[in-house]
Amino acid sequence: MKLLYILPVLLLACVASAASSLRRYDSIFSFGDSFADTGNDIIVFAENSLVTPAAQPPYGMTFFGRPTGRNSNGRLIIDFIAEKLELPFVPPFLTHNGSFRRGANFAVAGATALDASFFRDIPGVGQFVLNSSSSVQLRWFDSLKPSLCSPACARYAIKYHACRCFFKKSLFFMGEIGFNDYSFAVFGMNITQLRSLVPDVVKTVSAAIEVVIKQGAKTVVVPGIPPLGCTPPNLFFFPSADPAAYENSTGCLKDLNEIAVHHNSLLQESLNHVRRNHPNARVVYADFFTPVIEMVQSPEKFGLTQDVLRCCCGGGGKYNFNISAGCGMPGATVCEDPSAYLFWDGHLTEEAYRYIAKGWLNSIDNSEY
């Protein structure tokens, strides 16, 4: 009989343990670009007399039923992670009017790691690099800190910064950021010059990580960049008549993918240095490259269409990507089933983000100090 009483207690203990492992954080703070932007682009683009396509239908059609500023048909990686951790969707810093005590998203579509001034003289694209780089996002974060410092943390004020006890319970995402640095720079640089840019981009990302750790962050997730050579925009803008320019197993551009591999390699080396400098912080590398390559190489394994490099939403052409009729613009069409596509408009679909988020969550759960 005693066993009958003990079993429910043990079961309850197991359930409580599982729940606590899912809910290790009280808030999420995110920096990055369109892969993470949950609505800041609406404000930033408007301030520059531009309209973001992500504010127009059919963006958001799959989950939200309306455009939210997310560059996808539904949720992003950051949304799936928030859901799994039983936290609210991370509100965009520039459009949210409520509290940010459960987190804030500073990511902006088109953002770069390097300051926007670096790209000003690049023909054709310099004018579209907006003032929303990693340093700008860190300033936004700094402006928010006073409102997050709870009176409960006051006892730490003498020895520590007053916000430290708040941020130690927060999950930070530094990126993905860096993808746009190469996507913009390639319009004015050859591959050799682009490769030489990688150390500066990685150094900037690492410096941003150091900033948030010094402010009290205890867990920082740092994503690498996805394959540059597989994205429909880059395949559209930089076609080659030489078959050798493309990878046999993917159909992606070799040189651009090599830049992404080089960035991710240097980034992981740099993260090891950050870990040595801050042994009491968890700095987690999140692989963005491998899961995308997996889906490109074996689309049938993921229930994706065989024409895997083609966008679900776009204006026609080999990759269904057309700058004169982009997704959300007149002349563009949308596929019947976005879940069967890897790419939405050049960014990824909700279904692709769902798969990538699972890998990142595993990395977070399995990481150690």
Side-chain angles (χ1 to χ4, degrees):
M1 286 294 293
K2 288 184 178 179
L3 185 60
L4 294 177
Y5 290 103
I6 293 172
L7 282 175
V9 174
L10 292 175
L11 287 171
L12 285 171
C14 290
V15 171
S17 176
S20 63
S21 68
L22 289 173
R23 185 66 188 278
R24 294 162 54 189
Y25 307 99
D26 293 338
S27 54
I28 296 175
F29 293 92
S30 173
F31 304 80
D33 54 27
S34 53
F35 291 112
D37 186 357
T38 54
N40 289 314
D41 51 350
I42 295 173
I43 298 297
V44 172
F45 279 56
E47 288 176 346
N48 288 272
S49 302
L50 299 170
V51 177
T52 173
Q56 310 292 328
Y59 286 85
M61 59 177 277
T62 298
F63 181 81
F64 299 99
R66 59 180 176 82
T68 63
R70 290 168 172 81
N71 285 267
S72 185
N73 59 304
R75 289 162 290 184
L76 311 179
I77 299 170
I78 192 73
D79 297 316
F80 285 111
I81 290 176
E83 286 183 333
K84 187 66 174 179
L85 297 177
E86 299 179 359
L87 291 169
F89 290 141
V90 188
F93 173 68
L94 298 178
T95 65
H96 183 61
N97 293 321
S99 170
F100 288 104
R101 293 194 61 79
R102 306 301 299 279
N105 194 343
F106 306 98
V108 182
T112 53
L114 301 177
D115 286 345
S117 58
F118 177 85
F119 305 92
R120 287 287 182 249
D121 295 330
I122 296 178
V125 299
Q127 67 193 61
F128 297 110
V129 183
L130 307 180
N131 192 31
S132 56
S133 66
S134 57
S135 63
V136 173
Q137 294 179 30
L138 285 170
R139 288 200 293 271
W140 292 342
F141 169 65
D142 199 57
S143 72
L144 185 62
K145 287 188 300 183
S147 68
L148 300 176
C149 297
S150 167
C153 292
R155 64 183 181 275
Y156 293 92
I158 295 177
K159 190 174 181 180
Y160 304 101
H161 188 284
C163 281
R164 283 185 176 270
C165 73
F166 182 86
F167 292 139
K168 73 179 182 181
K169 299 177 182 178
S170 303
L171 180 62
F172 282 76
F173 284 85
M174 187 53 67
E176 178 279 325
I177 196 163
F179 182 91
N180 287 326
D181 293 70
Y182 309 119
S183 295
F184 286 129
V186 71
F187 283 91
M189 294 182 176
N190 60 38
I191 290 297
T192 301
Q193 293 170 323
L194 200 63
R195 184 182 174 88
S196 70
L197 185 64
V198 175
D200 289 336
V201 174
V202 169
K203 181 180 178 180
T204 303
V205 175
S206 297
I209 300 165
E210 296 264 3
V211 169
V212 297
I213 290 176
K214 290 175 182 177
Q215 296 297 330
K218 287 295 185 181
T219 304
V220 185
V221 180
V222 188
I225 65 172
L228 284 158
C230 295
T231 63
N234 283 337
L235 287 164
F236 171 84
F237 284 118
F238 306 106
S240 176
D242 182 5
Y246 297 88
E247 297 171 345
N248 291 331
S249 64
T250 63
C252 304
L253 291 162
K254 286 182 181 178
D255 286 345
L256 288 179
N257 272 1
E258 194 280 331
I259 295 295
V261 169
H262 184 47
H263 170 98
N264 292 337
S265 178
L266 288 191
L267 179 62
Q268 290 178 77
E269 291 177 11
S270 183
L271 295 186
N272 287 331
H273 181 72
V274 174
R275 293 184 185 108
R276 288 193 293 270
N277 287 344
H278 304 279
N280 294 323
R282 296 170 67 226
V283 180
V284 183
Y285 177 74
D287 191 349
F288 207 158
F289 187 97
T290 302
V292 174
I293 287 293
E294 288 176 346
M295 288 184 276
V296 172
Q297 290 179 328
S298 305
E300 69 286 347
K301 178 181 175 182
F302 301 91
L304 301 176
T305 177
Q306 285 297 313
D307 199 359
V308 71
L309 298 177
R310 185 174 173 84
C311 293
C312 166
C313 184
K318 182 177 180 180
Y319 303 105
N320 197 30
F321 181 88
N322 187 331
I323 56 173
S324 63
C327 186
M329 297 171 60
T333 59
V334 61
C335 65
E336 291 185 5
D337 183 10
S339 69
Y341 282 73
L342 170 60
F343 290 103
W344 166 248
D345 62 346
H347 301 87
L348 305 182
T349 60
E350 178 182 87
E351 197 63 25
Y353 285 134
R354 186 196 308 274
Y355 174 65
I356 297 166
K358 290 179 181 178
W360 290 17
L361 280 163
N362 287 334
S363 297
I364 295 167
D365 288 343
N366 295 327
S367 65
E368 298 178 355
Y369 285 99

